[in-house]
Amino acid sequence: MTPTEISPGLVVNTALPALKLGNFKLIAFDMDSTLINIECVDEIADAAGRKAEVAAITEATMRGEIADFKESLRRRVALLKGVTVASMDDVYHQRLKLNPGAAELVHACKEAGMKVLLVSGGFTFFADRVRDELGIDYIRANVLDIDGGQLTGKLVDQPWGDICDGEEKRKTLLETCSKLGISPQQAIAVGDGANDLPMMGVAGLSVAYHAKPKVREQAMVAINTGGLDRLLELMA
């Protein structure tokens, strides 16, 4: 199917059945540049005077030009060594905002009886707060190692593994579906970067939000202008 612009900035790339929120049981969101307006690692790097260096790695990774997300993240986190928890608090309070329509879409999904999963290659320092703000049910993200109120430049291993990359996002979506006793076809996956493609590939509905070109092309639906709640325009 040729991509069809349903309305300005809302593109459908594949033939879709009539969509109803009630037909889905789970929605999985990426966090950075999807649910929220920033790439947290880039903003933390600003406090270390290394934003340009880190942001260049982030951009190349999200575009799919750096295939190894784990190595990319380790490189970026190493450059954050010495940044204080106070500086990260400043990022949260002064720079981080929910993207337009995020709260509205999450609310609509919860009203329809869906569960909400936040699965992020970013950090629990921010993801935990976003979870609490939006009432998200499940979360998976990376843990920054902190010692003496400062970042050590390393990540903390967790029971499920070391780093939440694209494969871990896919695995988490599938595990959450299994826990809920549902098919992945009853899940929606929303993201913007190349590391979101694995989970988007197993979901019943994949949504690119203001995404990199590779992701826009591969998603079933692309929201290129406006807020996340534009997804509701496709729901009967």
Side-chain angles (χ1 to χ4, degrees):
M1 172 179 166
T2 304
T4 302
E5 192 165 42
I6 303 299
S7 59
L10 183 64
V11 176
V12 173
N13 290 323
T14 187
L16 293 173
L19 297 175
K20 290 185 178 180
L21 273 186
N23 292 340
F24 295 95
K25 302 300 179 188
L26 175 71
I27 186 164
F29 290 99
D30 168 53
M31 182 175 70
D32 293 38
S33 298
T34 300
L35 268 184
I36 64 173
N37 64 321
I38 60 172
E39 292 286 337
C40 292
V41 67
D42 297 356
E43 300 308 317
I44 300 170
D46 199 20
R50 289 174 163 165
K51 183 173 181 178
E53 185 178 355
V54 169
I57 301 171
T58 300
E59 176 69 12
T61 304
M62 293 303 102
R63 292 178 70 89
E65 293 158 9
I66 297 177
D68 189 339
F69 180 87
K70 289 189 178 186
E71 181 56 29
S72 160
L73 188 62
R74 288 190 187 101
R75 282 171 58 196
R76 286 175 285 162
V77 169
L79 294 170
L80 306 180
K81 185 177 180 179
V83 173
T84 64
V85 171
S87 292
M88 292 199 296
D89 267 326
D90 286 344
V91 170
Y92 175 74
H93 290 293
Q94 297 175 19
R95 304 189 187 191
L96 187 154
K97 291 181 172 51
L98 294 177
N99 267 332
E104 290 81 359
L105 178 56
V106 169
H107 177 74
C109 289
K110 291 178 79 71
E111 283 286 297
M114 296 169 65
K115 295 294 186 183
V116 183
L117 167 66
L118 172 56
V119 58
S120 174
F123 311 119
T124 54
F125 184 89
F126 303 101
D128 287 351
R129 300 178 190 204
V130 172
R131 172 198 63 199
D132 294 345
E133 185 173 352
L134 290 175
I136 288 169
D137 301 288
Y138 308 106
I139 182 174
R140 182 151 296 180
N142 302 304
V143 178
L144 289 164
D145 188 45
I146 298 171
D147 184 43
Q150 295 185 338
L151 298 184
T152 66
K154 297 179 180 178
L155 293 160
V156 179
D157 285 353
Q158 298 181 73
W160 47 262
D162 54 355
I163 290 175
C164 186
D165 61 355
E167 175 55 26
E168 185 62 34
K169 289 188 176 199
R170 185 189 74 85
K171 184 175 136 195
T172 301
L173 185 144
L174 293 175
E175 286 177 353
T176 306
C177 288
S178 178
K179 183 188 301 183
L180 294 172
I182 65 171
S183 161
Q185 289 300 305
Q186 295 172 286
I188 302 171
V190 188
D192 75 299
N195 63 322
D196 297 315
L197 287 171
M199 73 168 178
M200 293 168 75
V202 296
L205 180 64
S206 56
V207 181
Y209 179 70
H210 292 226
K212 305 305 179 193
K214 181 177 179 180
V215 183
R216 285 202 306 269
E217 291 162 9
Q218 294 188 36
M220 296 175 188
V221 174
I223 300 171
N224 299 326
T225 61
L228 279 161
D229 55 342
R230 294 205 66 191
L231 179 60
L232 300 174
E233 294 176 28
L234 297 176
M235 299 294 169

